[in-house]
Amino acid sequence: MFNDRLYIPRIAVINDVCELTHDTKLLRLRFRDRRVPAHDGDYDYKPGQFVQVSILGAGEVPVSICSSPTEKDSLELCVRKAGQVTSAIGVLGEGDELGLRGPYGNGFSVAQIRQQPLLFVAGGIGLAPLRSLIGYVMDNRDDFGKVTILYGAKTKQDIVFGSELKQWAKARDTDVAITVDKPQEGWDGHTGVVISLFGALKNASAYTAFVCGPPIMIHFALKELLDMGLKPNRIITTLERHMKCGVGKCGHCYLKGQYVCTHGPVFSYEQLDVMNARL
Ligand SMILES: Cc1cc2nc3c(=O)[nH]c(=O)nc-3n(C[C@H](O)[C@H](O)[C@H](O)COP(=O)(O)OP(=O)(O)OC[C@H]3O[C@@H](n4cnc5c(N)ncnc54)[C@H](O)[C@@H]3O)c2cc1C
Ligand code: FES
């Protein structure tokens, strides 16, 4: 039977907006029907899940939840202007409201990575979904092995969550390296694409890797990690597909026998290989 309640958004209020780059904002949200800005109890989610965000008169888009489930004060979304809906979200300010459906998708399997060395590879705004998992790992640091975070941005000005990257670097047994694509004035750090940081990895094959970013970066990073000896079921990425319903009904996100919105968006290289999905 058609369940129309599936499509009813819950109203969220923007508590705070933080400008991360010229086109990317971090929104801190609370639900209008709650007294405090918490998502406890009736709003549990896993790192790697996403919500469908709607704006009256503009439309609805999928956006990854970028806060950790351990963060009980607010739900955070990092949105980059791409077109109509994301631009409409981009002009919202404190006190404005938007609709949320979800959380949707499979998310990352946290239980399977406990006590293991973890490698996070992010490009640009691809750090957003990984930030949810990294935050979870940092808040439960003793449950996980060594953490290495490699982050690449086009330019210094495109780096998102810079202060958090610095903070994570101070955590126990955690390395963080940042690179920008080309040399530029005012940047004395590493230059080159994020894959150029792989050379410094020690004992690389022991890692479980999480890779998120533009499709071209994912394509080359996955191949390189495989060549470095990481097991295909331990190379994890997220797929971005055009989505409408987010709940496995409309078929917009269908890819090689899978609905990316429900079976994904998180897939291992092994799964993508079986699906014969070209990245
Ligand atoms: C699971 C998932 C998680 C996402 N998480 C985030 C996030 O955390 N932050 C964020 O800013 N964006 C995220 N996106 C991408 C975001 O949904 C798209 O940028 C958005 O749908 C564009 O809608 P629009 O109306 O603003 O632009 P449109 O006018 O619809 O499109 C503008 C451009 O973006 C392209 N585009 C539209 N939808 C997608 C899509 N789903 N994937 C790739 N390209 C698309 C179009 O082809 C076009 O070139 C996510 C997408 C998915 C599927
Ligand atoms: S978005 Fe409708 S089936 Fe996945």
Side-chain angles (χ1 to χ4, degrees):
M1 201 179 76
F2 181 70
N3 177 4
D4 60 352
R5 293 203 66 79
L6 267 180
Y7 300 104
I8 298 177
R10 196 166 159 188
I11 304 300
V13 184
I14 298 176
N15 261 0
D16 185 35
V17 181
C18 175
E19 211 150 311
L20 299 179
T21 71
H22 72 285
D23 62 358
T24 306
K25 287 183 176 173
L26 178 70
L27 309 180
R28 295 199 177 88
L29 306 166
R30 67 179 165 84
F31 289 108
R32 193 173 64 180
D33 56 3
R34 295 196 72 87
R35 261 190 318 114
V36 289
H39 57 85
D40 55 304
D42 65 339
Y43 205 80
D44 289 333
Y45 61 86
K46 285 166 71 179
Q49 287 194 293
F50 67 94
V51 283
Q52 288 282 26
V53 183
S54 54
I55 304 263
L56 205 60
E60 191 178 43
V61 289
V63 177
S64 304
I65 300 174
C66 73
S67 46
S68 161
T70 46
E71 169 61 58
K72 295 293 180 196
D73 288 341
S74 60
L75 182 74
E76 293 177 347
L77 305 177
C78 170
V79 182
R80 186 175 60 194
K81 277 186 208 168
Q84 184 175 322
V85 183
T86 47
S87 298
I89 296 171
V91 297
L92 298 179
E94 203 182 314
D96 287 336
E97 295 182 340
L98 36 74
L100 290 190
R101 292 194 293 121
Y104 295 139
N106 56 355
F108 299 112
S109 295
V110 174
Q112 287 178 14
I113 55 168
R114 288 196 197 278
Q115 304 310 334
Q116 290 179 18
L118 306 177
L119 172 65
F120 295 95
V121 182
I125 196 187
L127 186 55
L130 295 187
R131 176 180 181 256
S132 178
L133 181 56
I134 296 170
Y136 182 89
V137 169
M138 292 300 153
D139 288 341
N140 297 278
R141 192 64 196 86
D142 292 342
D143 294 350
F144 300 91
K146 182 176 177 54
V147 170
T148 300
I149 301 167
L150 307 180
Y151 177 62
K154 260 192 206 145
T155 70
K156 189 178 120 181
Q157 289 77 15
D158 291 303
I159 293 175
V160 292
F161 304 118
S163 54
E164 278 161 73
L165 286 159
K166 276 191 198 141
Q167 209 51 44
W168 294 331
K170 292 180 193 158
R172 179 184 63 74
D173 209 9
T174 304
D175 290 334
V176 175
I178 305 174
T179 182
V180 301
D181 283 0
K182 290 178 193 151
Q184 71 175 115
E185 214 179 307
W187 176 257
D188 56 8
H190 194 280
T191 54
V193 293
V194 70
I195 295 159
S196 65
L197 297 170
F198 285 7
L201 287 174
K202 294 194 182 82
N203 199 14
S205 61
Y207 279 110
T208 295
F210 296 88
V211 183
C212 204
I216 186 80
M217 173 234 144
I218 295 182
H219 173 84
F220 286 109
L222 264 50
K223 277 191 180 319
E224 193 70 26
L225 291 170
L226 209 58
D227 288 349
M228 288 162 64
L230 274 80
K231 296 192 184 85
N233 64 342
R234 297 224 161 257
I235 304 174
I236 317 291
T237 190
T238 63
L239 287 189
E240 277 204 11
R241 280 291 179 278
H242 289 270
M243 289 182 185
K244 288 286 176 209
C245 69
V247 289
K249 303 279 182 200
C250 72
H252 265 80
C253 67
Y254 187 78
L255 177 74
K256 313 267 180 180
Q258 307 277 308
Y259 291 111
V260 174
C261 64
T262 51
H263 298 117
V266 175
F267 292 97
S268 68
Y269 186 95
E270 186 178 44
Q271 290 171 310
L272 294 174
D273 208 26
V274 170
M275 287 157 65
N276 197 18
R278 278 198 304 137
L279 281 171

